[in-house]
Amino acid sequence: MDNNPGRAINVEYLEGDGAVEGDTLIVKLGETDFAFSLKDHSFSKFISSTQITVAVMANDTDYTAWFNSSVITPEGIKEANNYDATVGDNDISDPDFTVEEQELIYFLRSLDFDTVLDTVSGIHREADQSKSKAAMHLRVGRIQTANAFDKQAANLEQLAYLLGKANKDYIAHGYQVE
């Protein structure tokens, strides 16, 4: 564990032979390098109003690595929120979206403030429960189960954030998902 909050983190992407399965993400923390193969790890991110947290979870082994940024400027957070390597176009009429996905997007946009607030709060409560379950399983040595609950908590936090961000009424009330 690195306790130097000012230490720079650099990331490199190494392409393997052929498919993505041979690709590796290298995280450089000071003089230490961590290698995470894409085929053996799952990745999750959470962007708050001031910081970015990334979780790297081993698919079939016993660890999760967490990387937290220091405080990021509002401009940097805005840029991070606008970046999504998995989505090329925000046009929901894109043929890659199914009819069901388009319906979901339109529905999320139509929800009123109170509904989104209650839903986001409920998702945060579930994320907190998943974190508690992860800690409980970690204490008794069930590392894989703890990792699964950690991953679930990170996914729920991201879902709450994206739900709030996708609803103009929620944003208009000045709420920012953290």
Side-chain angles (χ1 to χ4, degrees):
M1 174 177 223
D2 188 303
N3 291 321
N4 183 347
R7 185 161 312 208
I9 296 176
N10 295 305
V11 179
E12 292 181 16
Y13 185 86
L14 299 176
E15 292 186 32
D17 296 331
V20 171
E21 294 163 355
D23 294 352
T24 303
L25 188 68
I26 307 291
V27 177
K28 296 178 177 242
L29 179 60
E31 296 178 16
T32 305
D33 293 354
F34 300 93
F36 304 105
S37 67
L38 297 188
K39 71 176 183 174
D40 297 324
H41 295 85
S42 299
F43 301 84
S44 180
K45 71 175 187 237
F46 175 68
I47 303 172
S48 75
S49 62
T50 59
Q51 182 177 11
I52 300 172
T53 301
V54 175
V56 181
M57 292 133 313
N59 293 337
D60 294 326
T61 56
D62 300 336
Y63 68 88
T64 299
W66 292 89
F67 298 94
N68 297 312
S69 70
S70 60
V71 175
I72 298 176
T73 65
E75 296 80 19
I77 293 296
K78 182 177 180 181
E79 182 178 338
N81 281 325
N82 287 332
Y83 177 77
D84 188 345
T86 62
V87 179
D89 190 338
N90 288 331
D91 179 13
I92 67 168
S93 63
D94 186 315
D96 290 337
F97 285 112
T98 66
V99 171
E100 294 80 10
E101 290 168 327
Q102 291 176 21
E103 289 174 358
L104 176 61
I105 292 166
Y106 284 123
F107 178 73
L108 290 176
R109 289 179 177 174
S110 73
L111 295 173
D112 65 13
F113 168 75
D114 291 326
T115 302
V116 176
L117 181 63
D118 289 346
T119 304
V120 167
S121 297
I123 293 171
H124 282 299
R125 280 191 300 276
E126 288 299 318
D128 289 344
Q129 287 182 3
S130 290
K131 290 175 189 175
S132 295
K133 290 176 185 176
M136 180 193 67
H137 286 285
L138 188 60
R139 280 192 296 275
V140 295
R142 296 185 196 123
I143 305 300
Q144 284 182 304
T145 304
N147 286 343
F149 279 112
D150 270 340
K151 183 177 180 180
Q152 181 180 27
N155 287 338
L156 287 169
E157 292 289 347
Q158 183 70 4
L159 178 61
Y161 170 77
L162 292 172
L163 175 61
K165 183 179 169 184
N167 185 271
K168 290 180 184 174
D169 195 24
Y170 188 81
I171 299 300
H173 277 79
Y175 280 81
Q176 294 180 359
V177 182
E178 302 215 21

